[in-house]
Amino acid sequence: MVVELVSGAINWDTSIFVDEFPKAKEEIKAKKIISVPGGKGANVAIASARILGSDKVGIIGGLGDDDIAERQIQILKEEGVNISTVKRIKNASSGQAYIVVDDAGENFIVTYKAANHMITADIMNDEVTSNTINECKLITVIDPPLEVAETLISKARDLEKTIIWSPGLLVRNGFDKLKEILLKTNYLILNESEATILAAMDDATNACKTLSEKLNGKKVVGTLGSKGCILCWQTKTAHIPVPNLTDLSLRVVNTVGAGDAFLGAFSALKIKEFEDIESLFLANIAGALKTTKEETRGSPDYKEIRQYFDDKRVQPLFSRINVS
């Protein structure tokens, strides 16, 4: 049975590795190019499935009628993701993303949404999709079209499901337009850039605090890269650190997909009924471990996450977390 339903993009990623990013009009050499499956929705679904197990995670997403779609379906199945709510769109291309990664593991991304943005809110009326929404415990909404996100979140709220929303580029619609949807969620997940845009503030930590206040004390999680994440709720704030990879004899290779690994792990751990702070600390470990792997979908399974959580070099970080 599907216990978590993810809604978001399914892309094919082309990653281009370079020494440093080019300047405008500059030509540089690529050190390596790899082509792998990606897309935030699919990445998160797979990250969750690696923790929860086969057929426990489903995905609402759009694919075209091309070879990419066939490969994506096969890969999702092999990863244990239920694909019964994936919509195939005739005469459409599947989504693709082009990612440039520098020597420090940083990146920029150009995305061609294609079929991802051709799904509509009508998909909720499909019998299979409707039944899956009814039976799952938690909905993770990422980057579908706004109409789809709003309809899914409203339906999930009526059914009293746990709702996690990571709106990504949708924050550009502005707080006022998104407020009523945000109020229906249980958790709002934002990276530093998204938090500052949505709150119209320069500092991500203060932005998350302000957003929580504006949303009647709702739980807002701000991801801060190598500095971990913060959880703001009511008038409280907790900073949840991330282990130092160097201390664990590991190094950053590629940061692409780290946020997806974090989100997928957090969603899965909430399904497993972990408390918020422990879920976020474990999710930080998942995101950090992903950065040590080249592939976008390099998220770890639960056994690997737990191994590092139990490490004597990591435990003191967890024990020192304070709520202020």
Side-chain angles (χ1 to χ4, degrees):
M1 183 183 83
V2 171
V3 293
E4 179 191 347
L5 184 59
V6 177
S7 177
I10 308 171
N11 288 330
W12 198 267
D13 291 350
T14 299
S15 294
I16 305 167
F17 293 84
V18 299
D19 287 323
E20 57 185 19
F21 297 136
K23 300 179 179 66
K25 301 181 181 180
E26 181 184 15
E27 179 179 349
I28 61 172
K29 290 182 179 180
K31 296 192 297 183
K32 180 169 55 176
I33 296 177
I34 60 173
S35 185
V36 294
K40 286 184 175 295
N43 293 346
V44 170
I46 286 172
S48 290
R50 289 178 181 174
I51 293 170
L52 294 174
S54 183
D55 216 36
K56 299 294 185 183
V57 181
I59 181 168
I60 296 175
L63 285 170
D65 58 0
D66 48 16
D67 290 340
I68 288 176
E70 296 299 330
R71 282 185 284 169
Q72 294 280 30
I73 289 292
Q74 185 60 37
I75 290 165
L76 288 167
K77 285 181 177 179
E78 289 172 356
E79 288 279 1
V81 176
N82 185 301
I83 50 87
S84 61
T85 52
V86 174
K87 184 174 180 60
R88 298 290 298 274
I89 300 171
K90 293 183 178 180
N91 302 316
S93 300
S94 297
Q96 297 183 58
Y98 299 87
I99 305 161
V100 182
V101 184
D102 73 4
D103 204 40
E106 295 300 321
N107 67 85
F108 68 82
I109 304 172
V110 180
T111 303
Y112 177 54
K113 293 289 188 180
N116 289 305
H117 273 200
M118 294 181 186
I119 61 171
T120 65
D122 291 342
I123 195 173
M124 309 308 162
N125 300 322
D126 173 82
E127 183 178 0
V128 173
T129 304
S130 182
N131 288 341
T132 305
I133 295 170
N134 284 330
E135 73 180 16
C136 74
K137 295 180 180 179
L138 182 147
I139 305 282
T140 306
V141 184
I142 308 167
D143 56 354
L146 182 57
E147 176 196 32
V148 175
E150 182 174 13
T151 303
L152 177 56
I153 288 170
S154 296
K155 186 176 180 67
R157 172 53 55 218
D158 290 343
L159 294 168
E160 299 183 339
K161 308 296 182 181
T162 299
I163 303 165
I164 298 173
W165 192 19
S166 177
L169 291 175
L170 292 178
V171 299
R172 297 184 182 280
N173 285 280
F175 180 81
D176 291 340
K177 184 171 182 177
L178 299 180
K179 181 178 179 180
E180 291 307 311
I181 314 173
L182 293 168
L183 285 168
K184 295 177 182 179
T185 66
N186 298 95
Y187 299 90
L188 172 62
I189 313 287
L190 302 163
N191 66 24
E192 292 178 88
S193 173
E194 294 157 1
T196 57
I197 290 170
L198 191 59
M201 300 175 70
D202 292 333
D203 181 76
T205 298
N206 288 332
C208 290
K209 291 178 181 178
T210 299
L211 289 168
S212 180
E213 291 169 4
K214 286 185 174 181
L215 295 169
N216 304 328
K218 186 165 297 297
K219 293 174 180 176
V220 177
V221 177
T223 60
L224 306 173
S226 61
K227 292 180 274 186
C229 66
I230 57 166
L231 170 64
C232 304
W233 76 109
Q234 298 171 356
T235 59
K236 302 174 183 177
T237 303
H239 175 255
I240 297 96
V242 63
N244 186 305
L245 292 175
T246 303
D247 293 343
L248 299 174
S249 301
L250 300 170
R251 73 177 187 90
V252 174
V253 175
N254 183 6
T255 60
V256 177
D260 302 335
F262 170 91
L263 180 55
F266 177 67
S267 298
L269 292 161
K270 292 307 298 178
I271 290 281
K272 284 179 165 289
E273 300 184 348
F274 282 83
E275 296 294 332
D276 289 340
I277 289 176
E278 188 170 6
S279 294
L280 290 168
F281 188 80
L282 290 164
N284 276 344
I285 292 174
L289 290 176
K290 190 276 126 198
T291 69
T292 67
K293 299 170 185 176
E294 192 173 81
E295 63 269 30
T296 305
R297 292 180 181 169
S299 55
D301 61 21
Y302 181 66
K303 182 179 179 181
E304 187 177 4
I305 295 169
R306 195 78 211 186
Q307 173 190 335
Y308 281 97
F309 178 74
D310 293 334
D311 191 297
K312 64 182 181 181
R313 295 167 293 182
V314 173
Q315 271 296 306
L317 287 174
F318 180 68
S319 63
R320 289 197 296 265
I321 296 172
N322 292 316
V323 176
S324 57

